Amino acid sequence: MTIALYERIWMWGATGLIVMFLGAIFVTAIAQAVEPPGHLETVDPTTILSHPEFGKPQIVTNADGSVVVPIVAGMFSFTPDPIEVPANVRVTFRLTSPDVIHGFQVVGTNANAMAIPGYVTQFTATFATPGEYTIACNEYCGTLHHAMVGKLTVK
Ligand code: CUA
C-alpha cells in the first residue's frame, strides 16, 4: 500500500499535534500542579445547616479589604442572596452544595464554577464595574433549575 506524500504529511502533522496537546496537559499537571478548583477541601453535605462556615454563610472582610464569600447553592437558591461585595477588591468565593451539583455563574463576568456536594469549590474574582449582576445556576439540578437565580451587588 502506498500513501501519498501529502497524506503522510497530514498524518504526521496530526500526530504531532496530539502529542503536543497531551504533553501540555502532563507538563502543567505534573510540573505546575494544576488542579481543578474543587476536590481539595471536603465538607459533609448532610450537616451543612450546622456547619460553622456554611450553616449561616456570612461575608467576611479581611484586614487588607479583600472579602471571603461562603455560598451554599442548594435546590433552588443561593445563600446568601443577594451577595454584596465591594468593587475592585479580591473576592474569594467558597461554594458548596447540600444536595446535587449546581452551577454558579456571575453573568457577564468570568466568575463561573460548580458547587459539588461534599466539596468546597474556591475561586477568586475581582469586579471592576459596580452594579447588579445576575447569578445563574448553569448545571441542570431539577424541576426548578431554570428559576435558580441570585443577585450579586458590586458597590
Ligand atoms: Cu441549581 Cu440548576
Side-chain angles (χ1 to χ4, degrees):
M1 188 174 79
T2 51
I3 300 171
L5 176 64
Y6 277 130
E7 204 153 353
R8 261 183 285 157
I9 291 170
W10 282 109
M11 278 165 54
W12 283 111
T15 307
L17 283 176
I18 291 167
V19 169
M20 199 176 81
F21 293 149
L22 288 176
I25 293 171
F26 284 113
V27 167
T28 51
I30 295 163
Q32 297 174 356
V34 173
E35 288 161 325
H39 294 238
L40 300 174
E41 191 181 333
T42 56
V43 62
D44 183 354
T46 60
T47 57
I48 288 284
L49 286 178
S50 57
H51 190 274
E53 183 182 6
F54 294 105
K56 286 198 177 82
Q58 299 284 329
I59 298 171
V60 176
T61 305
N62 295 321
D64 64 357
S66 64
V67 294
V68 179
V69 186
I71 298 158
V72 176
M75 287 172 175
F76 294 97
S77 62
F78 298 99
T79 310
D81 183 34
I83 296 167
E84 207 176 289
V85 297
N88 293 309
V89 303
R90 237 171 109 81
V91 179
T92 302
F93 291 103
R94 288 172 51 77
L95 288 163
T96 193
S97 163
D99 39 53
V100 298
I101 291 177
H102 297 275
F104 177 88
Q105 181 178 14
V106 183
V107 177
T109 72
N110 64 356
N112 187 0
M114 272 172 150
I116 304 163
Y119 295 96
V120 176
T121 301
Q122 181 173 310
F123 71 98
T124 60
T126 304
F127 303 97
T129 318
E132 290 197 346
Y133 296 81
T134 299
I135 299 167
C137 174
N138 56 13
E139 296 287 336
Y140 182 73
C141 54
T143 48
L144 290 177
H145 160 70
H146 64 281
M148 186 166 169
V149 287
K151 194 163 57 169
L152 175 78
T153 306
V154 178
K155 294 216 154 169

